[in-house]
């Protein structure tokens, strides 16, 4: 990871060094701090690019042709020009804040904060129970990562996951979530032995699915935490499997061979087609919460019938009322999750929840 202090503008670096126990978050209403942020956003990638260009020019990776050396020198020269621009922006008397919109500035700030979030351990896993309607027992949990920002509070994954994908930290974050969830599952399985054992499901992004070594890394996580791969479920979306389709399909096949079940999340809201569904070889369709909240019972019934015809199971998300619950029961849905049972809760609260059947 980039050494952030090496690329902070001096004004931001000074504030950070003067407050060693606190993370410095620029005030977006302060024009001088906005200028420092703009300068930092230029310097961060340029520092890395200049370092790589310098290595190439040094000949450490082999000799280059005369044309190659010429092109590299031009690239290095242009990088130096951009660095001088960053310094000029930092020392402008009238800050050029109008260069970027407020939304763009906030996005840059979020990316900066996200890099610092690792250092300050601001991520935490929450768990939402998965309940069986046959006996009211908790049969597993969906693991959901939350970012507790020091000044903005809890930031939704819908906001920071795309940001993590953009800055290239989603792989690190995704593996951390998998390891944490599997470690917690092992504790629960030992504390609450049952047949079948408790499970945990973890969302996997399209970026992760494009990594050819994902199956090997998940195998290592299962071995390291001591859980059977059959206790782990991975949640994918239709769109994530379509991006980098060939690599994604290869990874999914390998994960299936390990005994890991696949959940197709938000079913019915993406690129649904029967042929695509068969190609993915998922085990469970998760009925999107929007169908439940909008009382689209005919659509839900159709999904349940489709799943039965393909030998798949279904999970209904977003169950918030007893009326929703009874209607899903009548339609033949056997597994549900939603705020009627519990919102996502931390590990200790989830531990307290296990073993207490939902009384309905």
């Amino acid at each position: 990871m980039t050494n952030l202090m090496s690329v902070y503008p001096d004004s931001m670096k000074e504030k950070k060094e003067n407050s060693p126990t606190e993370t410095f978050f620029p005030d977006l209403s302060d024009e001088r701090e906005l200028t420092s942020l703009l300068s930092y956003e230029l310097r961060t990638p340029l520092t890395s690019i200049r370092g790589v260009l310098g290595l190439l020019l040094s000949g450490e990776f082999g000799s280059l042709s005369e044309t190659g050396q010429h092109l590299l020198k031009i690239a290095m020269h242009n990088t130096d020009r951009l660095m001088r621009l960053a310094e000029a922006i930092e020392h402008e008397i009238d800050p050029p804040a109008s260069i970027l919109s407020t939304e763009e500035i906030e996005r840059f700030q979020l990316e900066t904060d996200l890099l610092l979030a690792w250092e300050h351990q601001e991520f935490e896993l929450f768990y939402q129970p998965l309940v069986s309607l046959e006996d009211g027992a908790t049969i597993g949990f969906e693991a959901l990562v939350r970012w507790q920002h020091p000044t903005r509070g809890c930031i939704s994954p819908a906001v920071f996951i795309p940001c993590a994908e953009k800055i290239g930290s989603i792989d690190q974050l995704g593996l951390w979530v998998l390891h944490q969830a599997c470690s917690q599952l092992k504790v629960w399985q030992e504390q609450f032995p049952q047949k079948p054992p408790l499970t945990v499901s973890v969302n996997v992004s399209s970026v992760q699915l494009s990594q050819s070594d994902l199956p090997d890394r998940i195998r290592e996580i299962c071995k390291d935490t001591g859980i059977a791969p059959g206790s782990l479920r991975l949640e994918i979306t239709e769109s994530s499997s379509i991006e980098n389709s060939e690599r994604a399909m290869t990874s999914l096949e390998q994960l299936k061979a390990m005994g890991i079940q696949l959940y197709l999340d938000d079913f019915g809201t993406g690129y649904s087609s029967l042929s695509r569904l068969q190609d993915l070889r998922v085990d469970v369709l998760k009925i999107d919460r929007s169908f439940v909240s909008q009382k689209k019972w005919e659509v839900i019934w159709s999904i349940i019938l489709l799943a039965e015809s393909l030998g798949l199971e279904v999970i209904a998300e977003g169950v918030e009322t007893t009326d929703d619950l009874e209607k899903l029961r009548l339609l033949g849905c056997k597994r549900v999750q939603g705020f009627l049972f519990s919102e996502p809760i931390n590990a200790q609260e989830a531990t307290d929840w296990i073993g207490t059947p939902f009384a309905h």
Side-chain angles (χ1 to χ4, degrees), residues 137-175:
T138 298
I139 58 178
F141 291 89
E142 179 180 358
L144 301 160
V145 63
R146 294 290 185 262
W147 177 14
Q148 295 293 338
H149 193 284
T151 59
R152 303 185 191 185
C154 185
I155 298 181
S156 167
V159 174
F160 72 80
I161 292 298
C163 180
E165 291 179 338
K166 180 180 178 183
I167 66 176
S169 65
I170 188 63
D171 187 49
Q172 181 184 16
L173 177 60
L175 291 174

Side-chain angles (χ1 to χ4, degrees), residues 172-193:
Q172 181 184 16
L173 177 60
L175 291 174
W176 178 84
V177 169
L178 276 162
H179 198 282
Q180 290 290 110
C182 290
S183 295
Q184 183 60 63
L185 178 62
K186 180 62 175 178
V187 172
W188 285 334
Q189 288 181 340
E190 292 179 346
Q191 190 173 355
F192 304 99

